[in-house]
């Protein structure tokens, strides 16, 4: 038998479990179970297994193999789950791109991710897609398939061309499967690569704390480019043979009857949407007794049962926890080990957390340092960012760039982020990215971005701008429109202040504390909309 470099024999196939194997097993275990619902589409586990087989063969015939990439440019769809299943069976990876990307952001992601196949949507974003394609390099080589149409060069015709037989390939569970772009580093978007093992470990641990089983029916109303929709509770339901109900976008009037008809047990919903649903159902009177209020339970005003899982009992639903995309969601929550002094809780069974100083030494109890994580939830790194990965994986841990403290009772407190993240509803906004955009305006000398309170959405973006002395007159609306055309709309400043110079710290960095005090900023990282971290 061949040996690995460490002298150990290679892992037998019998000890390797992938995301694709989950679909294969559910075909046998739940032959009548519904896996996915999306509008008129209802797929049982056997149907999903066959469709992912066909898609896997079609992708292989198109030249997609292990390590190759597939990019989705569209809104939520059952087809994202199909792409994940097919990619899992051939060793490829899938990135659900952010459908609200501005043209430059979308073009950057396409060139950076360098996909073999792009599946795109025309409705609502077709114009942006067309403009982004026009900006690509002449050697761009991807196969483009439209998914919201029929005929040649469409997703369905492509899938139908593949064989229904199982590809039966041996895929490494430590290979990348799901890639989520985040701008958490230096204002530059980067794709966080999550492996089969990451997703299965997250699915198992989150299901334990959320009491998720085969009976679960999850309404995936959250964006599928966001880790939250997968952890709460898309992947846990998927790996346990439950049902995922997908909606293209959030429209409260459409969600309400769907929640009742599909007898959804869980849903990923933002507080404003919950308030709309409660108000609408006062007249509609739909039976929502199956639904469990696990996040922001008081907003339901007693109209649905409160979830009694460990997650909700120990404060997870009210923001008690810490995580980020790079650790496959929550790595620390109150569900693990019960409540305590720390505002985040304790690490789960697949993670170990250390609080380190800048030299890699573990900080004393009660001393602040960087939250560093290791274990099966830590991602593989960022796609195509070897230098950043080397820096962030030093000392044998993933360095989150977030500050924390170990309390005497062993729990962990999240203290803040070194990147000064802002939060608008469920969306993370990183000041460096917005500042880079503003400073690309020819009249702008420099800019600083702070977060100011918004009662409904947690925070608004406020820009503090210094203009060049000889610049033409520029208004606040000019700056906002400049950003609107270059970055996703939710990231643009809501208000702009012009100053002669930015305040500076002793090392000449922008002094954000002074700016916060002067212009009413603060509350980082973005209030308590979905828990600590990102």
């Amino acid at each position: 038998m061949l040996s690995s470099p460490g002298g150990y024999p290679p892992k037998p196939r019998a000890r390797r479990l992938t995301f694709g194997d989950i679909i294969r097993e559910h075909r046998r275990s739940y032959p009548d179970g519904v896996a996915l619902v999306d509008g008129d589409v209802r797929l049982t586990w056997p149907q999903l297994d066959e469709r992912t087989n066909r898609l896997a063969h079609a992708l292989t015939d198109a030249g997609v193999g292990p390590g190759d990439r597939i990019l989705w440019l569209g809104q939520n769809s059952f087809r994202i789950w199909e792409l994940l299943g097919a990619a899992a069976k051939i060793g490829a990876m899938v990135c659900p791109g952010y459908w609200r990307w501005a043209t430059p952001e979308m073009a950057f992601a396409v060139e950076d991710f360098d996909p073999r196949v792009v599946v795109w949507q025309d409705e609502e974003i077709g114009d942006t897609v067309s403009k982004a394609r026009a900006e690509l390099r002449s050697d761009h080589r991807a196969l483009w398939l439209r998914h919201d149409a029929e005929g040649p060069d469409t997703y369905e015709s492509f899938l139908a061309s593949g064989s229904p037989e199982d590809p039966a390939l041996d895929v490494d569970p430590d290979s990348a499967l799901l890639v989520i772009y985040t701008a958490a580093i230096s204002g530059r978007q980067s794709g966080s690569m999550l492996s089969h093992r990451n997703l299965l470990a997250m699915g198992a641990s989150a299901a334990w704390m959320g009491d998720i089983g085969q009976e679960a029916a999850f309404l995936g109303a959250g964006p599928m480019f966001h880790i939250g929709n997968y952890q709460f509770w898309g992947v846990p339901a998927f790996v346990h043979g439950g049902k995922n109900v997908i909606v293209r976008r959030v429209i409260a009037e459409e969600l309400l009857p769907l929640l009742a008809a599909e007898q959804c047990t869980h849903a990923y919903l933002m507080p404003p949407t919950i308030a709309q649903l409660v108000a609408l159902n006062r007249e509609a009177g739909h039976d929502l007794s199956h639904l469990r209020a696990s996040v922001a339970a008081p907003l339901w005003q007693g109209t649905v049962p409160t979830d009694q899982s460990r997650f909700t009992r120990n404060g997870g639903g009210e923001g008690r926890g810490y995580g980020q995309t790079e650790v496959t969601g929550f790595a620390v929550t109150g569900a693990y080990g019960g409540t305590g002094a720390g505002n985040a809780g304790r690490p789960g069974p697949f993670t170990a957390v250390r609080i380190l100083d800048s030299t890699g030494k573990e900080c004393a109890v009660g001393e602040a340092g960087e939250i560093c994580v290791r274990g099966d939830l830590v991602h593989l790194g960022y796609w195509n960012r070897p230098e950043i990965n080397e820096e962030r994986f030093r000392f044998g841990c993933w360095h989150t760039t977030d500050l924390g403290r170990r309390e005497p009772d062993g729990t962990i407190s999240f203290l803040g982020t070194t990147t000064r993240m802002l939060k608008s509803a469920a969306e993370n906004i990183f000041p460096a990215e917005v500042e880079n955009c503003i400073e690309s305006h020819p009249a702008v000398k420099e800019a600083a971005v702070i977060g100011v309170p918004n009662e409904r959405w947690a925070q608004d973006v406020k820009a503090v701008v210094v203009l060049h002395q000889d610049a033409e007159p520029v208004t606040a609306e000019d700056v906002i429109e400049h950003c609107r055309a270059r970055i996703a709309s939710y990231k643009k400043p809501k208000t702009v202040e012009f100053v002669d110079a930015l305040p500076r710290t002793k090392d000449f960095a922008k002094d954000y504390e002074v700016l916060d005090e002067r212009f009413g900023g603060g509350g980082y990282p973005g209030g308590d909309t979905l828990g600590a971290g990102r």
Side-chain angles (χ1 to χ4, degrees), residues 42-79:
R42 300 183 70 84
L43 296 180
T44 63
W45 287 105
Q47 289 170 328
L48 178 61
D49 188 44
E50 179 177 320
R51 282 178 63 87
T52 54
N53 288 343
R54 288 186 179 277
L55 185 55
H57 280 290
L59 289 167
T60 301
D61 293 343
V64 179
D68 284 333
R69 294 156 303 286
I70 304 158
L71 179 62
W72 171 273
L73 295 177
Q75 295 165 317
N76 287 2
S77 172
F78 75 98
R79 294 184 173 113

Side-chain angles (χ1 to χ4, degrees), residues 47-357:
Q47 289 170 328
L48 178 61
D49 188 44
E50 179 177 320
R51 282 178 63 87
T52 54
N53 288 343
R54 288 186 179 277
L55 185 55
H57 280 290
L59 289 167
T60 301
D61 293 343
V64 179
D68 284 333
R69 294 156 303 286
I70 304 158
L71 179 62
W72 171 273
L73 295 177
Q75 295 165 317
N76 287 2
S77 172
F78 75 98
R79 294 184 173 113
I80 298 177
W81 288 105
E82 287 188 337
L83 285 166
L84 286 169
K89 292 180 176 181
I90 61 175
M93 60 183 101
V94 177
C95 173
Y98 184 40
W99 63 273
R100 290 179 177 171
W101 272 331
T103 297
E105 292 175 306
M106 187 176 289
F108 170 82
V110 174
E111 293 201 336
D112 182 65
F113 197 53
D114 190 23
R116 284 271 187 175
V117 175
V118 180
V119 182
W120 66 282
Q121 174 179 314
D122 183 65
E123 186 175 356
E124 292 197 54
I125 66 168
D127 185 55
T128 303
V129 172
S130 296
K131 291 178 180 177
R133 292 183 71 172
E135 293 187 8
L136 300 178
R137 297 188 305 265
S138 59
D139 60 349
H140 175 69
R141 61 192 176 99
L143 170 66
W144 289 70
L145 300 169
R146 181 177 167 185
H147 92 92
D148 58 341
E150 298 179 357
D153 298 324
T154 64
Y155 176 93
E156 285 297 330
S157 64
F158 180 76
L159 181 148
S161 70
S163 166
E165 299 300 318
D166 194 311
L169 300 177
D170 188 11
V171 174
D172 184 357
D174 284 317
S175 61
L177 175 58
L178 173 65
V179 179
I180 296 178
Y181 266 77
T182 171
I185 50 172
S186 304
R188 182 187 187 192
Q189 294 183 77
S190 294
S192 173
M193 297 184 292
L194 302 176
S195 69
H196 300 249
R197 191 181 304 279
N198 290 151
L199 294 174
L200 296 184
M202 177 261 276
S205 59
W208 177 86
M209 68 180 182
D211 195 21
I212 304 293
Q214 187 274 335
E215 75 289 346
F218 171 65
L219 178 71
M224 293 184 74
F225 54 77
H226 193 293
I227 191 62
N229 199 67
Y230 295 95
Q231 181 166 33
F232 303 115
W233 304 91
V235 170
F238 196 90
V239 301
H240 283 80
K243 177 172 66 176
N244 270 271
V245 181
I246 299 98
V247 293
R248 185 170 65 88
R249 61 182 308 167
V250 175
I251 302 173
E253 291 81 359
E254 296 177 4
L255 297 186
L256 187 57
L258 189 61
L259 285 165
E262 296 298 335
Q263 298 187 345
C264 292
T265 59
H266 298 78
Y268 189 96
L269 299 167
M270 291 295 100
T273 304
I274 295 174
Q276 287 181 283
L277 291 171
V278 171
L280 288 169
N281 208 34
R282 289 195 185 103
E283 293 187 9
H286 288 287
D287 180 8
L288 301 182
S289 59
H290 291 84
L291 187 62
R292 307 178 196 172
S294 58
V295 175
L299 294 179
W300 287 98
Q301 301 177 27
T303 59
V304 302
T306 298
D307 180 44
Q308 297 300 315
S309 72
R310 299 174 183 88
F311 176 73
T312 305
R313 290 200 313 268
N314 292 327
E318 304 308 320
R320 187 180 177 85
Y322 167 79
Q324 56 181 207
T325 301
E326 295 89 337
V327 294
T328 327
F330 272 176
V332 180
T333 80
Y336 306 126
T339 57
N343 64 12
R346 293 180 173 88
F350 295 99
T351 55
V353 173
R354 300 173 69 198
I355 308 298
L356 303 183
D357 65 16

Side-chain angles (χ1 to χ4, degrees), residues 371-399:
I371 299 173
C372 299
V373 185
R374 65 183 302 171
D376 285 350
L377 293 183
V378 174
H379 74 161
L380 301 176
Y382 297 116
W383 164 255
N384 200 27
R385 303 287 188 272
E387 295 178 357
I388 296 172
N389 292 336
E390 183 178 1
E391 169 68 14
R392 298 285 292 276
F393 276 114
R394 66 192 188 280
F395 306 132
C397 299
W398 171 253
H399 288 246

